[in-house]
Amino acid sequence: MATIGIFDSGSGGLSVYRELVKVLPKERYVYFADNAHCPYGEKSLDYIRDRARAVTDILIGMGADIIVVACNTATAAAIATLREEYPEMPFVGMEPAVKPAALGTKTGVIGVLATAGTLKGSKYLNTRGQYQDDVKIVEHVGQGFVELVESGKLDGEEVEKAVEASLRPLLDEGADNIVLGCTHYPFLRPVIERIAGPGVKVIDPAPAVARQTERVLKEIGISSGEGPFSIQLYFSGEPESLQRIFDLL
Ligand code: DGL
């Protein structure tokens, strides 16, 4: 049994945990929500790197064999630093799912919803650079999405309004594939899909990240797959939002 450490700025990473348990159902999970410092999206690189180090130390103290950075913003800002500073620890980060969107589009336009931090990070800009000659890529910050999810609002008028405001510009450009580039956003997926309509595909990279974690665990040979399963939730702020989303899963 491997101990899989997972972290995010809050409850968003639970959308990755949800996919991880499907492919790795018999492992020990330790989830850390850094919700006292949420959102990460508008913070400086140095701030996010410091938080990523602090949370990594906590997860190592809890026996993590591998750490899944279940946050696009923290992956963009800190995963290279973490890999350098913790050479013994395998890290798996979030990948913006531009490739499947670019391969799947019929209109030739894809939309990316993510935080400001992710959209200006070099990881995303490099990925974007690989595809921008073939498809038109339009982006928007999911304005207020993280706050809505953290306050447990996953549907209703306020959510509809926020999703409409950030998604509509992408739809107006003709995007028929929408990439969810922040791990909080999958919790708003039903609303996003409702507003986008049936001709639009919404892509969450979490299943691919879960499969990548499985591959890495196999490579390092620490997962027997025999269990027992367990999950522990930790948080730096208030427990309510995390508990609420966890109960939903
Ligand atoms: N869930 C995060 C992400 O994937 C961070 C959101 C935030 O804290 O701004 O980007």
Side-chain angles (χ1 to χ4, degrees):
M1 177 197 61
T3 296
I4 303 176
I6 307 174
F7 78 90
D8 177 44
S9 63
S11 333
L14 289 175
S15 68
V16 183
Y17 163 73
R18 171 171 70 183
E19 299 303 325
L20 280 165
V21 280
K22 287 183 192 162
V23 293
L24 294 160
K26 295 200 170 162
E27 310 298 340
R28 172 176 175 246
Y29 289 90
V30 181
Y31 184 99
F32 191 93
D34 194 19
N35 54 356
H37 304 92
C38 184
Y40 281 175
E42 311 283 331
K43 305 272 190 343
S44 72
L45 284 180
D46 281 345
Y47 184 95
I48 301 170
R49 283 181 191 145
D50 282 348
R51 290 311 308 155
R53 285 187 191 98
V55 176
T56 295
D57 288 337
I58 293 170
L59 291 173
I60 289 174
M62 288 169 181
D65 297 304
I66 184 168
I67 294 179
V68 179
V69 184
C71 174
N72 296 70
T73 312
T75 300
I79 202 161
T81 308
L82 293 175
R83 286 186 173 133
E84 216 175 276
E85 294 180 9
Y86 300 83
E88 307 290 310
M89 176 60 65
F91 289 95
V92 177
M94 299 305 297
E95 288 292 332
V98 172
K99 185 179 176 179
L103 293 175
T105 180
K106 293 194 176 66
T107 58
V109 185
I110 68 172
V112 179
L113 289 171
T115 67
T118 297
L119 293 176
K120 58 175 193 250
S122 55
K123 197 181 172 85
Y124 173 71
L125 293 176
N126 286 341
T127 310
R128 185 183 208 290
Q130 284 170 34
Y131 294 96
Q132 65 188 9
D133 290 341
D134 305 324
V135 293
K136 182 173 175 190
I137 306 176
V138 285
E139 295 135 1
H140 210 286
V141 171
Q143 215 73 55
F145 290 15
V146 171
E147 291 78 1
L148 285 166
V149 172
E150 287 299 312
S151 61
K153 292 178 191 153
L154 308 183
D155 209 337
E157 203 180 322
E158 200 181 336
V159 176
E160 298 254 350
K161 259 197 186 147
V163 171
E164 175 69 34
S166 294
L167 181 60
R168 184 59 58 195
L170 307 183
L171 301 175
D172 285 348
E173 294 273 352
D176 64 349
N177 276 249
I178 303 287
V179 176
L180 302 182
C182 168
T183 55
H184 280 76
Y185 300 177
F187 292 113
L188 304 181
R189 186 176 187 146
V191 180
I192 293 171
E193 286 183 330
R194 204 157 62 227
I195 291 177
V200 174
K201 189 167 175 209
V202 176
I203 303 176
D204 173 8
V209 171
R211 290 193 298 274
Q212 172 64 6
T213 308
E214 187 188 22
R215 271 194 294 273
V216 175
L217 276 184
K218 267 205 187 116
E219 257 167 51
I220 54 180
I222 41 170
S223 163
S224 61
E226 283 167 12
F229 162 82
S230 67
I231 167 92
Q232 291 165 284
L233 299 176
Y234 294 87
F235 37 86
S236 54
E238 298 298 323
E240 287 81 13
S241 73
L242 189 67
Q243 189 64 51
R244 234 185 339 249
I245 303 273
F246 186 73
D247 290 345
L248 268 181
L249 303 180

